[in-house]
Structure formats: structure tokens, C-alpha cells
Amino acid sequence: MTAERLITEPGQPTIERGAVVIEAGAIAWVGPVDALPEVYATYPVTRHPRGTILPGLVETHAHLGT
């Protein structure tokens, strides 16, 4: 998937025009679209042109009670 911005971790710069590659349900590669390795060139792409991707962000909000 690609987006206008990609935020990887605190203290690291925001990547403009970022991409995330998912393989078998896991993050396989993260970086600028222009640096995407050739091996991923034929993978399907989901574009989020005005979005921000936060790979690895875990949603910890839950209601565990019944």
C-alpha cells in the first residue's frame, strides 16, 4: 500500500510518498515508494493518496468485560 506520508517510529522522520509491503499477513518492507525493491514491483497496490500509514501500530483499545 502507498500513502502520502509514512510514520515508522518516534524520533524518525516522516517518509513522504511511503510504501508498506505485506506478505503472509506480516510487514515485509517499509520505505519510500521510489526505493521499493524490484521483487515487489508486481504486487497489487492499494493507494491512499491523501493518507498516512503507521505500520505496526497496534490497536490496544478493548472492552474485555461481558
Side-chain angles (χ1 to χ4, degrees), residues 16-52:
E16 301 299 324
R17 294 191 61 236
V20 176
V21 176
I22 307 295
E23 281 186 310
I27 297 171
W29 185 86
V30 175
V33 170
D34 295 338
L36 184 69
E38 185 68 28
V39 68
Y40 302 123
T42 61
Y43 281 37
V45 177
T46 303
R47 291 177 174 82
H48 303 281
R50 293 184 305 237
T52 300

